[in-house]
Each structure stands twice: as C-alpha cells, then as structure tokens.
Amino acid sequence: MRLPTICIPLALALAACAQPAAREQAAAPAATPAPAASVALAPGERRIKASDGAELYLKVAGRGPVCMLIHGGPGQGSLSTEKMGADKLEDFLTMVWFDQRGSGKSPDAQDYHLDRVVQDFEDARQALGVDKMCLIAHSFGGILAVEYAKRYPQHVSKLVMANTTLHFLGPENSRMQIDFVNRVLGKQAVKVAADADDAALAKARDEARAALMKSGNGYRFLSETTDSIKVMGEIDGGYARSRGFGNAIFDENAKYPEYMADYTADSAAVTQPVLVIAGSKDYAVGPDEHKRFRFPNQKVVVLDGGHISYYENNAEFVGAIREFMAER
C-alpha cells in the first residue's frame, strides 16, 4: 500500500545502548558554536553531476561549520524542512540543503540503490570542496547518514539524528503503529498474534494505517494537529517535485532490499559525536526507536512533540543543535 508522500516516514521504523549511557535532557539555552575550520561556501543554488552522470540539486545558505541535510521520505526533498523552520540553523551553520536523486528538485534517475545514494553525498562534498561536514538527518534519512558516516568517517565531523529510524518498515515499527492505532480508535481495530512473522505484521500494519486514515486521524502518526501537515503539503505541493526515489522504493521494493535491513548494529561503528533528537509523540518512527541506537558517543534530547520537530518544537530543536555544535 502506497501512502501519501508526506506520510512516507511513518514506517520509519528508519535494545538500550550497549555503549556508554546517553544523556536524556531538555534542550539547553542558546550557546555560541565552537570555532571550526570550514570552507567559505558561496551561497545559492547549484546543480552538480554525480559520478554516474545523474543531476543533483543543492542550495547553500548560512554561516559557520558546513552541515548537509539528509532528508527523509524516501523522496521527500529538502524544501519543506528548510522552510518550516530549519532555516534558522543558518544563523550558525552553513547549511547545504541537498535533494537526493529523484527527490525535490533533483531529477529522477535510474539507480536508487543505497550505495549509489550514499555516493551522491560524497560527490556533493567533493564538488563543494569541503573536507569535513556535519550531517543532519531526519526520519528515513537516518539510515543514509549512518551509512555515509560509516563509509566516509574522515569526512564527517558530527551527526544529528532527528526523529530518525535505523530500520525502515521494521517489525518493531509495525507493532508500535498497530498498538497506536488501536489506542487512538479506542478499540482493537486490528489484531495480530504475538508470534506473527514479519509478513503478517506488515499486512496488519497496513490495515491499521488504513483504519486510522479512514477515521480522519491519519495525521496523528506525524503530529497531534493538522497544522504542520497542511503547511508541509502547501510547500511540497507548490513546485514540480521529483518523486522517483520514493516511488522506486515502494513500487519496486524487491529490487531494493537493502533499505529494509536493520542498520542499528551499524550505528556502533559511528564514533563521531552524535546528537539524537526524539519526539515523545512521534508515531512515525516511534517514540522509543532512538533507544535502539548504539552510537558510542551520543547525546539524547527528547522533545515533547511528534515527527516534525524542526517545526513544532522549533526553538528547542534549533537550541539543541546549537549547543551540540558548540561542544568541543
């Protein structure tokens, strides 16, 4: 079952840490980012060629250390994230608003395999002439960011994981969403056996989503109100947006099995400082999904909100990243 593009992050699913304990805390007041060696990038929009010839769109704006947005979806594009408050990061960061191939303003392409998409980030880094950059990932983008950081650790300074998953459409996400739908509807709308296999769970999850959407409450996977969904829809619907990446993953999922794997174990290999931002009411990836992460050097901030934290909890979201970037 294909969901509306703005609801794609829901399954994102994208064990307590076996590494040193993470700190859970409220977002801290503004701090001044620590000095960082960075290339002064010229602001503005650019179109670059990936190493396989695909065209990629990005926009540079802001000042300070270079950070690339790894948007979710798959296929969401960066524009709504930028325009819904994340552009306040430009006050202290040089943001690279990057549209993945077949997403946003980057045209559709032939190859959407994980290796290829991760290489696009590296191609963009090289085109910009930046040695190190931080990554700010949202939702499904968490999988992409972790894989880039694992393959190119020498080029990653820090990593922000905002409302992310490391197991797209995983069984733990299915059970979470089924339970959530049953609570919202006030009845056991969907039943699933305790020992159900992944296929049975996926079928039950799709039934649960359909039931919640039919009730008029489908937005509650992402938010407690419809405001943020409407704003996102207006922005994303206001331009000719490429949808090839998302369509490929959902329509041809058998061709791209790597996106359905669990990348939690991979997070243990990411040794750079990591800020994890989670939402206590995020039923797209799940309010407890972040507890599965195993980053050895992570800090956790849990916000009182849903999946679109950069909009609904903007001051806390920006403040947490500002403080994190100021830490040495």
Side-chain angles (χ1 to χ4, degrees):
M1 159 184 178
R2 170 101 64 82
L3 297 173
T5 301
I6 61 171
C7 292
I8 285 175
L10 337 147
L12 294 181
L14 225 65
C17 296
Q19 308 295 332
R23 292 188 286 135
E24 274 196 24
Q25 61 182 55
T32 302
S38 60
V39 175
L41 298 180
E45 298 178 304
R46 305 186 191 188
R47 291 191 179 273
I48 64 172
K49 287 289 186 182
S51 50
D52 70 343
E55 182 180 296
L56 302 171
Y57 167 89
L58 62 84
K59 175 185 172 184
V60 175
R63 58 192 177 89
V66 177
C67 287
M68 178 181 287
L69 177 74
I70 311 296
H71 66 70
Q76 184 70 26
S78 65
L79 187 62
S80 57
T81 305
E82 175 193 356
K83 297 302 183 184
M84 291 176 71
D87 55 353
K88 291 181 180 177
L89 297 171
E90 296 169 6
D91 289 344
F92 55 94
L93 298 174
T94 299
M95 289 299 302
V96 178
W97 304 106
F98 181 80
D99 284 355
Q100 296 152 26
R101 58 176 53 211
S103 308
K105 297 180 182 180
S106 289
D108 291 347
Q110 297 297 314
D111 185 357
Y112 294 107
H113 282 289
L114 179 61
D115 287 349
R116 181 59 258 175
V117 173
V118 169
Q119 185 59 42
D120 288 347
F121 304 141
E122 175 60 8
D123 290 345
R125 182 198 66 77
Q126 292 181 24
L128 291 169
V130 176
D131 180 40
K132 283 183 178 289
M133 59 186 181
C134 72
L135 306 177
I136 299 179
H138 182 254
S139 198
F140 170 83
I143 291 172
L144 309 179
V146 165
E147 283 304 289
Y148 180 84
K150 191 179 76 169
R151 299 180 195 193
Y152 297 100
Q154 71 275 26
H155 296 307
V156 177
S157 56
K158 293 186 176 184
L159 175 60
V160 177
M161 299 280 283
N163 304 95
T164 54
T165 183
L166 289 178
H167 195 184
F168 184 57
L169 300 176
E172 59 285 329
N173 177 266
S174 295
R175 288 196 180 278
M176 178 276 296
Q177 289 195 340
I178 292 166
D179 290 345
F180 175 66
V181 169
N182 288 337
R183 290 200 309 274
V184 171
L185 297 182
K187 61 181 180 179
Q188 195 168 15
V190 177
K191 298 180 181 180
V192 62
D195 60 349
D197 60 19
D198 289 359
L201 278 172
K203 182 175 183 294
R205 179 196 64 229
D206 287 349
E207 292 172 357
R209 290 180 183 171
L212 195 64
M213 290 180 182
K214 184 178 180 180
S215 76
N217 289 290
Y219 64 90
R220 292 188 60 181
F221 286 117
L222 300 174
S223 173
E224 290 194 303
T225 71
T226 59
D227 174 58
S228 55
I229 309 303
K230 290 178 179 177
V231 173
M232 183 183 292
E234 289 171 359
I235 294 171
D236 285 340
Y239 69 105
R241 179 160 58 96
S242 299
R243 301 170 184 267
F245 189 8
N247 290 345
I249 302 308
F250 284 94
D251 294 346
E252 305 176 74
N253 55 73
K255 182 179 177 180
Y256 301 102
E258 65 266 34
Y259 289 110
M260 308 305 166
D262 188 351
Y263 290 90
T264 304
D266 291 43
S267 63
V270 178
T271 59
Q272 295 90 340
V274 177
L275 171 63
V276 176
I277 299 177
S280 63
K281 300 168 185 173
D282 182 351
Y283 293 99
V285 302
D288 294 327
E289 168 67 0
H290 69 282
K291 295 178 180 179
R292 303 174 59 248
F293 300 170
R294 301 177 188 173
F295 300 107
N297 185 15
Q298 73 175 15
K299 170 183 178 181
V300 178
V301 173
V302 178
L303 303 179
D304 182 24
H307 192 61
I308 312 174
S309 58
Y310 51 84
Y311 178 74
E312 296 179 336
N313 304 91
N314 182 260
E316 296 92 342
F317 176 89
V318 173
I321 295 176
R322 182 190 290 269
E323 181 195 13
F324 174 65
M325 294 303 297
E327 295 172 354
R328 298 176 185 274

